[in-house]
Amino acid sequence: MKQDNDWKQRLGVVYSTNPDFEYDSPVQEEAETLPPSRQRLIVSIDRRNRGGKQVTLVSGFVGTKEDLADLGRTLKVKCGVGGAAKDGEITIQGDFRDKVTALLKEMGYNAKRGN
């Protein structure tokens, strides 16, 4: 059974002698997804730390993880390759900068081709 490691989030908190004191951890809210026309996406190529392989990187997405995953899934299906969508970025295996930029513009996103 996995133990709750809540104490790690409170390392900088000073001890309180108040018996009724309860520590409230800050809750991070997920950013609301902007409409496609207000998104500023940058499509670039990345070769770092990937064993010499190239990936197309789509960065600048503002929104929920579910919407990011949906957009990533759509792009992967349209390109016919694998990839991942996490940490606000979408990676598509291979060099598909032109195709991904065209697809995003077709979907209504404000996409710009990077390097």
Side-chain angles (χ1 to χ4, degrees):
M1 177 179 243
K2 184 178 176 184
Q3 291 184 350
D4 185 21
N5 288 329
D6 187 36
W7 62 270
K8 288 183 180 180
Q9 298 173 356
R10 297 183 276 162
L11 283 177
V13 177
V14 178
Y15 180 76
S16 174
T17 57
N18 183 355
D20 299 327
F21 179 78
E22 288 186 28
Y23 180 75
D24 295 329
S25 59
V27 178
Q28 292 183 355
E29 294 184 21
E30 226 175 333
E32 187 175 315
T33 304
L34 293 175
S37 60
R38 298 211 31 227
Q39 298 272 6
R40 297 187 55 90
L41 302 179
I42 298 172
V43 181
S44 58
I45 192 160
D46 189 19
R47 295 181 187 93
R48 285 177 281 159
N49 301 326
R50 304 193 193 278
K53 308 277 188 203
Q54 311 179 50
V55 294
T56 303
L57 191 65
V58 180
S59 57
F61 185 83
V62 178
T64 62
K65 291 179 183 177
E66 291 82 21
D67 291 337
L68 178 70
D70 288 341
L71 180 60
R73 191 176 306 112
T74 303
L75 292 175
K76 290 187 296 185
V77 167
K78 298 270 186 179
C79 293
V81 294
K86 60 184 174 185
D87 301 330
E89 294 182 334
I90 301 170
T91 56
I92 306 290
Q93 295 173 352
D95 185 2
F96 289 97
R97 289 176 289 183
D98 295 328
K99 187 172 186 176
V100 169
T101 305
L103 286 169
L104 288 170
K105 285 185 178 181
E106 192 177 291
M107 296 167 142
Y109 287 93
N110 185 3
K112 180 178 169 185
R113 187 177 188 268
N115 58 348

Coordinates of all heavy atoms in Angstrom, one line a residue, residues 17-111:
T17 N 1.8 25.4 17.7 CA 1.4 24.8 18.9 C -0.1 24.8 19.1 O -0.7 24.3 20.0 CB 2.0 25.5 20.2 OG1 1.7 26.9 20.1 CG2 3.5 25.3 20.2
N18 N -0.8 25.4 18.1 CA -2.3 25.5 18.1 C -2.8 24.1 17.8 O -2.6 23.6 16.7 CB -2.8 26.5 17.1 CG -4.3 26.7 17.1 OD1 -5.0 26.0 17.8 ND2 -4.7 27.6 16.3
P19 N -3.6 23.5 18.7 CA -4.1 22.1 18.5 C -5.2 22.1 17.4 O -5.4 21.0 16.8 CB -4.7 21.7 19.8 CG -5.0 22.9 20.6 CD -4.0 24.0 20.1
D20 N -5.8 23.2 17.0 CA -6.8 23.2 16.0 C -6.2 23.6 14.6 O -7.0 23.8 13.7 CB -7.9 24.2 16.4 CG -8.6 23.8 17.7 OD1 -8.7 22.6 17.9 OD2 -9.0 24.7 18.4
F21 N -4.9 23.8 14.5 CA -4.3 24.2 13.3 C -4.3 23.1 12.3 O -4.0 22.0 12.5 CB -2.9 24.7 13.5 CG -2.2 25.1 12.3 CD1 -2.4 26.4 11.7 CD2 -1.3 24.3 11.6 CE1 -1.8 26.8 10.6 CE2 -0.7 24.7 10.4 CZ -0.9 25.9 9.9
E22 N -4.8 23.5 11.0 CA -4.7 22.5 9.9 C -4.0 23.2 8.8 O -4.4 24.3 8.4 CB -6.1 22.1 9.5 CG -6.8 21.2 10.5 CD -8.1 20.6 10.0 OE1 -8.3 20.6 8.8 OE2 -9.0 20.4 10.8
Y23 N -3.1 22.6 8.2 CA -2.3 23.1 7.1 C -3.2 23.0 5.8 O -3.6 21.9 5.5 CB -1.0 22.4 6.9 CG -0.2 22.9 5.8 CD1 0.5 24.2 5.8 CD2 -0.1 22.3 4.6 CE1 1.2 24.7 4.8 CE2 0.6 22.7 3.5 CZ 1.3 24.0 3.6 OH 2.0 24.5 2.6
D24 N -3.4 24.0 5.1 CA -4.1 24.0 3.8 C -3.1 24.1 2.7 O -2.4 25.1 2.5 CB -5.1 25.2 3.7 CG -6.2 25.1 4.7 OD1 -6.5 24.0 5.1 OD2 -6.6 26.2 5.2
S25 N -3.0 23.0 1.9 CA -2.1 23.0 0.8 C -2.7 23.8 -0.4 O -3.9 23.6 -0.6 CB -1.7 21.6 0.4 OG -2.9 20.9 0.0
P26 N -1.9 24.6 -1.1 CA -2.5 25.3 -2.2 C -2.9 24.4 -3.3 O -2.2 23.5 -3.7 CB -1.3 26.2 -2.6 CG -0.1 25.6 -2.1 CD -0.5 24.8 -0.9
V27 N -4.1 24.7 -3.8 CA -4.7 23.9 -4.9 C -4.4 24.6 -6.2 O -4.7 25.7 -6.4 CB -6.2 23.7 -4.7 CG1 -6.7 22.9 -5.9 CG2 -6.5 23.0 -3.4
Q28 N -3.7 23.8 -7.2 CA -3.4 24.4 -8.5 C -4.6 24.1 -9.4 O -4.9 23.0 -9.6 CB -2.1 23.9 -9.0 CG -0.9 24.3 -8.3 CD 0.3 23.8 -8.9 OE1 0.3 23.0 -9.9 NE2 1.5 24.2 -8.4
E29 N -5.1 25.2 -10.0 CA -6.2 25.0 -10.9 C -5.6 24.9 -12.3 O -4.7 25.5 -12.7 CB -7.2 26.2 -10.9 CG -7.9 26.3 -9.6 CD -9.0 27.4 -9.6 OE1 -9.3 27.8 -10.7 OE2 -9.3 27.8 -8.5
E30 N -6.3 24.0 -13.1 CA -5.8 23.8 -14.5 C -6.3 25.0 -15.3 O -7.4 25.5 -15.1 CB -6.4 22.5 -15.1 CG -5.4 21.7 -15.8 CD -5.9 20.4 -16.2 OE1 -6.8 19.9 -15.6 OE2 -5.4 19.9 -17.3
A31 N -5.5 25.5 -16.2 CA -5.8 26.6 -17.1 C -7.0 26.2 -18.0 O -7.1 25.1 -18.5 CB -4.6 27.0 -17.9
E32 N -7.9 27.2 -18.1 CA -9.1 27.0 -19.0 C -8.6 27.0 -20.5 O -7.7 27.8 -20.8 CB -10.1 28.0 -18.8 CG -11.4 27.8 -19.5 CD -12.4 28.8 -19.2 OE1 -12.6 29.1 -18.0 OE2 -13.1 29.4 -20.1
T33 N -9.1 26.1 -21.3 CA -8.7 26.0 -22.7 C -9.1 27.2 -23.5 O -10.3 27.6 -23.5 CB -9.2 24.7 -23.3 OG1 -8.8 23.6 -22.5 CG2 -8.7 24.6 -24.7
L34 N -8.2 27.9 -24.1 CA -8.5 29.0 -25.0 C -9.1 28.5 -26.3 O -8.8 27.4 -26.7 CB -7.2 29.8 -25.2 CG -6.6 30.6 -24.1 CD1 -5.3 31.2 -24.5 CD2 -7.5 31.6 -23.5
P35 N -9.9 29.4 -26.9 CA -10.5 28.9 -28.2 C -9.3 28.8 -29.2 O -8.3 29.5 -29.1 CB -11.4 30.1 -28.6 CG -11.1 31.2 -27.7 CD -10.5 30.6 -26.5
P36 N -9.4 28.0 -30.3 CA -8.3 27.8 -31.2 C -7.8 29.1 -31.8 O -6.6 29.2 -32.0 CB -9.0 26.9 -32.3 CG -10.0 26.2 -31.6 CD -10.6 27.1 -30.5
S37 N -8.6 30.1 -32.1 CA -8.2 31.3 -32.7 C -7.3 32.1 -31.8 O -6.5 32.9 -32.3 CB -9.3 32.1 -33.2 OG -10.2 32.5 -32.1
R38 N -7.3 31.9 -30.5 CA -6.5 32.7 -29.5 C -5.3 31.9 -29.1 O -4.4 32.5 -28.4 CB -7.3 33.0 -28.3 CG -8.5 33.9 -28.7 CD -9.0 34.8 -27.6 NE -8.0 35.4 -26.8 CZ -8.2 35.5 -25.4 NH1 -9.3 35.0 -24.9 NH2 -7.3 36.0 -24.7
Q39 N -5.1 30.7 -29.6 CA -3.9 29.9 -29.2 C -2.8 30.3 -30.2 O -3.0 30.5 -31.3 CB -4.2 28.4 -29.5 CG -5.3 27.8 -28.6 CD -4.7 27.3 -27.3 OE1 -3.6 27.5 -26.9 NE2 -5.6 26.7 -26.5
R40 N -1.6 30.4 -29.6 CA -0.4 30.8 -30.4 C 0.6 29.6 -30.3 O 1.4 29.5 -29.4 CB 0.3 32.0 -29.8 CG -0.6 33.2 -30.0 CD 0.1 34.5 -29.6 NE 1.3 34.7 -30.4 CZ 1.3 35.3 -31.5 NH1 0.2 35.8 -32.1 NH2 2.5 35.5 -32.2
L41 N 0.4 28.7 -31.3 CA 1.2 27.4 -31.3 C 2.4 27.6 -32.1 O 2.4 28.2 -33.2 CB 0.4 26.3 -31.8 CG -0.9 26.0 -31.0 CD1 -1.7 24.8 -31.6 CD2 -0.6 25.7 -29.5
I42 N 3.6 27.0 -31.7 CA 4.8 27.1 -32.4 C 5.2 25.6 -32.8 O 5.3 24.8 -31.9 CB 5.9 27.8 -31.6 CG1 5.5 29.2 -31.4 CG2 7.2 27.7 -32.4 CD1 6.5 29.9 -30.5
V43 N 5.3 25.4 -34.1 CA 5.7 24.0 -34.5 C 7.2 24.0 -34.9 O 7.6 24.7 -35.8 CB 4.8 23.6 -35.8 CG1 5.2 22.2 -36.2 CG2 3.3 23.7 -35.4
S44 N 8.0 23.2 -34.2 CA 9.4 23.2 -34.4 C 9.9 21.8 -34.5 O 9.1 20.8 -34.2 CB 10.1 24.0 -33.4 OG 9.9 23.5 -32.1
I45 N 11.2 21.6 -34.8 CA 11.8 20.3 -34.8 C 12.8 20.2 -33.6 O 13.4 21.1 -33.3 CB 12.4 20.0 -36.1 CG1 12.8 18.5 -36.2 CG2 13.7 20.8 -36.3 CD1 13.0 18.0 -37.6
D46 N 12.8 19.0 -33.0 CA 13.7 18.8 -31.9 C 14.5 17.5 -32.1 O 13.9 16.5 -32.4 CB 12.8 18.7 -30.6 CG 13.7 18.7 -29.3 OD1 14.8 19.2 -29.4 OD2 13.1 18.3 -28.3
R47 N 15.8 17.6 -31.8 CA 16.6 16.4 -32.0 C 17.4 16.1 -30.7 O 18.1 15.1 -30.6 CB 17.7 16.6 -33.1 CG 17.1 16.8 -34.4 CD 18.2 17.0 -35.5 NE 17.7 17.3 -36.8 CZ 17.5 18.5 -37.2 NH1 17.8 19.5 -36.5 NH2 17.0 18.7 -38.4
R48 N 17.2 16.9 -29.7 CA 18.0 16.7 -28.4 C 17.5 15.5 -27.6 O 16.3 15.3 -27.4 CB 17.9 18.0 -27.6 CG 18.8 19.1 -28.1 CD 18.6 20.3 -27.3 NE 17.4 20.9 -27.8 CZ 16.7 21.8 -27.1 NH1 17.1 22.1 -25.9 NH2 15.5 22.3 -27.5
N49 N 18.4 14.8 -27.0 CA 18.2 13.7 -26.1 C 17.2 12.6 -26.7 O 16.3 12.1 -26.0 CB 17.6 14.2 -24.8 CG 18.6 15.1 -24.1 OD1 19.8 15.0 -24.2 ND2 18.1 16.1 -23.4
R50 N 17.3 12.4 -28.0 CA 16.4 11.4 -28.6 C 17.1 10.4 -29.4 O 16.5 9.8 -30.4 CB 15.3 12.2 -29.5 CG 14.6 13.2 -28.7 CD 13.4 13.7 -29.4 NE 12.8 14.9 -28.8 CZ 12.0 14.9 -27.7 NH1 11.7 13.8 -27.2 NH2 11.6 16.1 -27.2
G51 N 18.4 10.2 -29.2 CA 19.1 9.2 -29.9 C 19.3 9.5 -31.4 O 19.3 8.5 -32.1
G52 N 19.3 10.7 -31.8 CA 19.5 11.1 -33.2 C 18.2 11.1 -33.9 O 18.2 11.5 -35.1
K53 N 17.1 10.7 -33.3 CA 15.8 10.8 -34.0 C 15.2 12.2 -34.0 O 15.5 13.0 -33.1 CB 14.8 9.8 -33.3 CG 15.3 8.4 -33.2 CD 15.1 7.6 -34.4 CE 15.4 6.2 -34.1 NZ 15.8 5.4 -35.2
Q54 N 14.4 12.5 -34.9 CA 13.8 13.8 -35.0 C 12.3 13.7 -34.6 O 11.7 12.7 -34.9 CB 13.8 14.4 -36.4 CG 15.1 14.3 -37.1 CD 14.9 14.9 -38.5 OE1 14.4 15.9 -38.7 NE2 15.4 14.1 -39.5
V55 N 11.9 14.7 -33.9 CA 10.4 14.8 -33.5 C 10.0 16.2 -33.8 O 10.7 17.2 -33.8 CB 10.1 14.5 -32.0 CG1 10.5 13.0 -31.7 CG2 10.8 15.4 -31.1
T56 N 8.7 16.3 -34.2 CA 8.0 17.6 -34.4 C 7.4 18.0 -33.1 O 6.7 17.2 -32.5 CB 7.0 17.5 -35.5 OG1 7.6 17.0 -36.7 CG2 6.3 18.8 -35.8
L57 N 7.7 19.2 -32.6 CA 7.3 19.6 -31.3 C 6.3 20.8 -31.5 O 6.6 21.8 -32.1 CB 8.6 20.1 -30.5 CG 8.4 20.4 -29.1 CD1 8.1 19.1 -28.3 CD2 9.7 21.0 -28.5
V58 N 5.1 20.6 -30.9 CA 4.1 21.7 -30.9 C 4.0 22.2 -29.5 O 3.6 21.5 -28.6 CB 2.7 21.1 -31.4 CG1 1.7 22.2 -31.4 CG2 2.8 20.5 -32.7
S59 N 4.4 23.5 -29.3 CA 4.4 24.1 -28.0 C 3.6 25.3 -28.0 O 3.2 25.9 -29.0 CB 5.9 24.4 -27.6 OG 6.5 25.3 -28.5
G60 N 3.2 25.8 -26.7 CA 2.5 27.0 -26.6 C 1.0 26.7 -26.3 O 0.2 27.7 -26.3
F61 N 0.6 25.5 -26.2 CA -0.8 25.2 -25.9 C -1.3 25.6 -24.5 O -0.6 25.3 -23.6 CB -1.1 23.7 -26.1 CG -2.6 23.3 -26.1 CD1 -3.4 23.4 -27.2 CD2 -3.1 22.8 -24.9 CE1 -4.7 23.1 -27.1 CE2 -4.4 22.5 -24.8 CZ -5.3 22.6 -25.9
V62 N -2.4 26.3 -24.4 CA -2.9 26.7 -23.1 C -4.3 26.0 -23.0 O -5.2 26.3 -23.7 CB -3.1 28.3 -23.1 CG1 -3.7 28.7 -21.7 CG2 -1.8 29.0 -23.3
G63 N -4.4 25.1 -22.0 CA -5.6 24.5 -21.8 C -5.5 23.2 -20.9 O -4.4 23.0 -20.3
T64 N -6.5 22.5 -20.8 CA -6.5 21.3 -20.0 C -5.8 20.1 -20.6 O -5.5 20.1 -21.8 CB -8.0 20.8 -19.7 OG1 -8.6 20.5 -21.0 CG2 -8.8 21.9 -19.1
K65 N -5.4 19.2 -19.8 CA -4.6 18.0 -20.2 C -5.5 17.2 -21.2 O -4.9 16.6 -22.2 CB -4.2 17.1 -19.1 CG -3.2 17.8 -18.2 CD -2.8 16.9 -17.0 CE -1.8 17.6 -16.1 NZ -1.5 16.8 -14.9
E66 N -6.8 17.1 -21.0 CA -7.7 16.4 -21.9 C -7.7 17.0 -23.3 O -7.6 16.3 -24.3 CB -9.1 16.3 -21.3 CG -9.2 15.4 -20.0 CD -8.8 16.2 -18.8 OE1 -8.8 17.5 -18.8 OE2 -8.5 15.6 -17.8
D67 N -7.8 18.3 -23.3 CA -7.8 19.0 -24.6 C -6.5 18.8 -25.4 O -6.5 18.7 -26.6 CB -8.2 20.4 -24.5 CG -9.7 20.6 -24.0 OD1 -10.5 19.7 -24.3 OD2 -10.0 21.7 -23.5
L68 N -5.4 18.9 -24.6 CA -4.1 18.7 -25.2 C -4.0 17.3 -25.7 O -3.5 17.1 -26.9 CB -3.0 19.0 -24.1 CG -1.6 18.7 -24.6 CD1 -1.2 19.8 -25.6 CD2 -0.6 18.8 -23.4
A69 N -4.4 16.3 -25.0 CA -4.4 14.9 -25.4 C -5.2 14.7 -26.7 O -4.9 14.0 -27.6 CB -4.8 14.0 -24.3
D70 N -6.4 15.3 -26.7 CA -7.3 15.2 -27.9 C -6.6 15.8 -29.2 O -6.7 15.2 -30.2 CB -8.6 15.9 -27.7 CG -9.5 15.2 -26.7 OD1 -9.2 13.9 -26.5 OD2 -10.4 15.8 -26.2
L71 N -6.0 17.0 -29.0 CA -5.3 17.6 -30.1 C -4.1 16.8 -30.6 O -3.9 16.5 -31.8 CB -4.9 19.0 -29.8 CG -4.1 19.8 -30.9 CD1 -5.0 20.0 -32.1 CD2 -3.7 21.1 -30.4
G72 N -3.4 16.2 -29.6 CA -2.3 15.4 -29.9 C -2.7 14.1 -30.7 O -2.1 13.7 -31.6
R73 N -3.8 13.5 -30.2 CA -4.3 12.3 -30.9 C -4.7 12.6 -32.3 O -4.4 11.8 -33.2 CB -5.5 11.8 -30.0 CG -6.0 10.4 -30.4 CD -7.1 9.9 -29.5 NE -6.7 9.9 -28.1 CZ -7.3 10.8 -27.2 NH1 -8.3 11.6 -27.6 NH2 -6.9 10.7 -25.9
T74 N -5.4 13.7 -32.5 CA -5.8 14.1 -33.9 C -4.6 14.3 -34.8 O -4.6 13.8 -35.9 CB -6.6 15.4 -33.8 OG1 -7.7 15.2 -32.9 CG2 -7.1 15.8 -35.2
L75 N -3.6 15.0 -34.3 CA -2.4 15.2 -35.1 C -1.7 13.9 -35.4 O -1.2 13.7 -36.6 CB -1.5 16.2 -34.5 CG -2.0 17.6 -34.3 CD1 -1.0 18.5 -33.6 CD2 -2.2 18.2 -35.7
K76 N -1.6 13.0 -34.5 CA -0.9 11.7 -34.7 C -1.7 10.9 -35.7 O -1.0 10.2 -36.6 CB -0.8 10.9 -33.3 CG 0.2 11.6 -32.4 CD 0.4 10.7 -31.2 CE -0.8 10.5 -30.3 NZ -0.6 9.8 -29.1
V77 N -3.0 10.9 -35.6 CA -3.8 10.1 -36.6 C -3.6 10.7 -38.0 O -3.5 9.9 -39.0 CB -5.3 10.1 -36.2 CG1 -6.1 9.6 -37.3 CG2 -5.4 9.2 -34.9
K78 N -3.7 12.0 -38.1 CA -3.6 12.7 -39.5 C -2.2 12.4 -40.1 O -2.1 12.3 -41.3 CB -3.8 14.2 -39.3 CG -5.2 14.5 -38.9 CD -6.2 14.7 -40.0 CE -7.5 15.2 -39.4 NZ -8.5 15.3 -40.4
C79 N -1.2 12.4 -39.2 CA 0.2 12.1 -39.8 C 0.5 10.7 -39.9 O 1.5 10.3 -40.6 CB 1.2 12.8 -38.9 SG 1.1 14.6 -38.9
G80 N -0.2 9.8 -39.2 CA 0.0 8.4 -39.3 C 1.2 7.9 -38.6 O 1.8 6.9 -38.9
V81 N 1.6 8.6 -37.5 CA 2.8 8.2 -36.7 C 2.4 8.3 -35.2 O 1.3 8.7 -34.8 CB 3.9 9.2 -37.0 CG1 4.4 9.0 -38.4 CG2 3.6 10.6 -36.7
G82 N 3.4 7.9 -34.4 CA 3.2 8.0 -32.9 C 3.7 9.3 -32.4 O 4.1 10.2 -33.1
G83 N 3.5 9.4 -31.1 CA 3.9 10.6 -30.4 C 3.4 10.7 -29.0 O 2.9 9.7 -28.5
A84 N 3.5 11.8 -28.4 CA 3.0 12.0 -27.0 C 2.5 13.4 -26.8 O 2.9 14.3 -27.5 CB 4.1 11.7 -26.0
A85 N 1.6 13.6 -25.8 CA 1.1 14.9 -25.4 C 1.2 15.0 -23.9 O 0.4 14.4 -23.2 CB -0.3 15.1 -25.9
K86 N 2.2 15.8 -23.4 CA 2.3 16.0 -22.0 C 3.1 17.3 -21.7 O 3.8 17.8 -22.6 CB 3.0 14.8 -21.3 CG 4.4 14.6 -21.9 CD 5.0 13.3 -21.2 CE 6.3 13.0 -21.9 NZ 6.9 11.7 -21.4
D87 N 2.9 17.8 -20.5 CA 3.6 19.1 -20.1 C 3.4 20.2 -21.0 O 4.2 21.0 -21.3 CB 5.1 18.8 -20.0 CG 5.4 17.7 -19.0 OD1 4.7 17.5 -18.0 OD2 6.5 17.0 -19.1
G88 N 2.2 20.3 -21.6 CA 1.9 21.4 -22.5 C 2.5 21.4 -23.9 O 2.4 22.3 -24.6
E89 N 3.1 20.2 -24.2 CA 3.7 20.1 -25.5 C 3.2 18.8 -26.2 O 2.9 17.8 -25.5 CB 5.2 20.0 -25.4 CG 5.9 21.3 -24.9 CD 7.4 21.2 -24.8 OE1 7.9 20.1 -24.7 OE2 8.0 22.2 -24.9
I90 N 3.2 18.8 -27.5 CA 2.8 17.6 -28.3 C 4.1 17.2 -29.1 O 4.6 18.1 -29.8 CB 1.6 17.9 -29.2 CG1 0.4 18.3 -28.4 CG2 1.3 16.7 -30.1 CD1 -0.7 18.9 -29.3
T91 N 4.5 16.0 -29.0 CA 5.6 15.5 -29.8 C 5.0 14.5 -30.8 O 4.3 13.6 -30.5 CB 6.7 14.8 -29.0 OG1 6.1 13.8 -28.2 CG2 7.3 15.8 -28.0
I92 N 5.4 14.7 -32.1 CA 5.0 13.8 -33.2 C 6.3 13.3 -33.7 O 7.3 14.0 -34.1 CB 4.3 14.6 -34.3 CG1 3.1 15.4 -33.8 CG2 3.9 13.7 -35.4 CD1 2.0 14.6 -33.3
Q93 N 6.4 11.9 -33.9 CA 7.6 11.3 -34.3 C 7.9 11.6 -35.8 O 7.0 11.4 -36.6 CB 7.6 9.8 -34.1 CG 7.5 9.4 -32.7 CD 7.3 7.9 -32.5 OE1 7.0 7.2 -33.4 NE2 7.3 7.5 -31.2
G94 N 9.1 12.1 -36.1 CA 9.4 12.5 -37.5 C 9.3 13.9 -37.8 O 8.9 14.7 -36.9
D95 N 9.8 14.3 -38.9 CA 9.7 15.8 -39.3 C 8.5 16.0 -40.1 O 8.4 15.8 -41.3 CB 11.0 16.1 -40.2 CG 11.1 17.5 -40.5 OD1 10.2 18.3 -40.0 OD2 12.0 17.9 -41.2
F96 N 7.4 16.5 -39.4 CA 6.2 16.8 -40.1 C 5.8 18.3 -39.8 O 4.6 18.6 -39.7 CB 5.0 15.9 -39.5 CG 5.1 14.5 -39.9 CD1 5.7 13.6 -39.1 CD2 4.6 14.1 -41.1 CE1 5.8 12.3 -39.4 CE2 4.7 12.8 -41.5 CZ 5.3 11.8 -40.7
R97 N 6.8 19.2 -39.8 CA 6.5 20.6 -39.5 C 5.5 21.2 -40.4 O 4.6 21.9 -40.0 CB 7.8 21.4 -39.5 CG 8.7 21.1 -38.3 CD 10.0 21.8 -38.4 NE 10.8 21.2 -39.5 CZ 12.0 21.6 -39.9 NH1 12.6 22.6 -39.2 NH2 12.6 21.0 -40.9
D98 N 5.7 21.1 -41.7 CA 4.8 21.7 -42.7 C 3.4 21.1 -42.6 O 2.4 21.9 -42.6 CB 5.4 21.5 -44.1 CG 6.7 22.3 -44.3 OD1 6.9 23.3 -43.6 OD2 7.6 21.8 -45.0
K99 N 3.3 19.8 -42.5 CA 2.0 19.2 -42.5 C 1.2 19.5 -41.2 O 0.1 19.8 -41.2 CB 2.2 17.6 -42.6 CG 0.9 16.9 -42.7 CD 1.2 15.4 -43.0 CE -0.1 14.7 -43.2 NZ 0.1 13.3 -43.6
V100 N 1.9 19.5 -40.0 CA 1.3 19.8 -38.8 C 0.8 21.3 -38.8 O -0.3 21.6 -38.3 CB 2.2 19.5 -37.6 CG1 1.7 20.1 -36.3 CG2 2.4 18.0 -37.4
T101 N 1.7 22.2 -39.3 CA 1.3 23.6 -39.3 C 0.1 23.8 -40.2 O -0.8 24.5 -39.8 CB 2.5 24.4 -39.9 OG1 3.6 24.2 -39.1 CG2 2.2 25.9 -39.8
A102 N 0.0 23.1 -41.3 CA -1.1 23.2 -42.2 C -2.4 22.7 -41.6 O -3.5 23.3 -41.6 CB -0.9 22.5 -43.5
L103 N -2.2 21.5 -40.9 CA -3.4 20.9 -40.2 C -3.9 21.8 -39.1 O -5.1 22.0 -38.9 CB -3.0 19.6 -39.6 CG -2.8 18.4 -40.5 CD1 -2.2 17.2 -39.8 CD2 -4.2 18.0 -41.1
L104 N -3.0 22.4 -38.3 CA -3.4 23.3 -37.2 C -4.1 24.6 -37.7 O -5.1 25.0 -37.2 CB -2.2 23.7 -36.3 CG -1.7 22.6 -35.5 CD1 -0.4 23.0 -34.8 CD2 -2.7 22.2 -34.4
K105 N -3.6 25.1 -38.8 CA -4.3 26.3 -39.4 C -5.6 25.9 -40.0 O -6.6 26.7 -39.9 CB -3.4 26.9 -40.5 CG -2.2 27.7 -40.0 CD -1.4 28.3 -41.0 CE -0.3 29.1 -40.4 NZ 0.5 29.8 -41.4
E106 N -5.7 24.7 -40.5 CA -7.0 24.2 -41.1 C -8.0 24.1 -39.9 O -9.2 24.3 -40.1 CB -6.8 22.9 -41.7 CG -7.9 22.4 -42.6 CD -7.5 21.1 -43.3 OE1 -6.6 21.1 -44.1 OE2 -8.0 20.0 -42.9
M107 N -7.6 23.7 -38.7 CA -8.4 23.5 -37.6 C -8.8 24.9 -36.9 O -9.6 24.9 -36.0 CB -7.8 22.6 -36.5 CG -7.5 21.2 -37.0 SD -6.4 20.5 -35.8 CE -7.1 18.8 -35.7
G108 N -8.2 26.0 -37.3 CA -8.5 27.3 -36.8 C -7.5 27.8 -35.8 O -7.7 28.8 -35.2
Y109 N -6.4 27.1 -35.6 CA -5.4 27.5 -34.6 C -4.5 28.5 -35.3 O -4.2 28.5 -36.5 CB -4.5 26.3 -34.1 CG -5.3 25.4 -33.2 CD1 -6.0 24.3 -33.6 CD2 -5.3 25.7 -31.8 CE1 -6.7 23.5 -32.8 CE2 -6.0 24.9 -30.9 CZ -6.6 23.7 -31.4 OH -7.3 22.9 -30.5
N110 N -3.9 29.4 -34.4 CA -2.9 30.4 -34.9 C -1.5 29.7 -34.8 O -0.9 29.8 -33.7 CB -3.0 31.6 -34.0 CG -2.1 32.7 -34.5 OD1 -1.4 32.6 -35.5 ND2 -2.0 33.8 -33.8
A111 N -1.1 28.9 -35.8 CA 0.1 28.1 -35.7 C 1.2 28.8 -36.6 O 0.9 29.4 -37.6 CB -0.1 26.7 -36.3

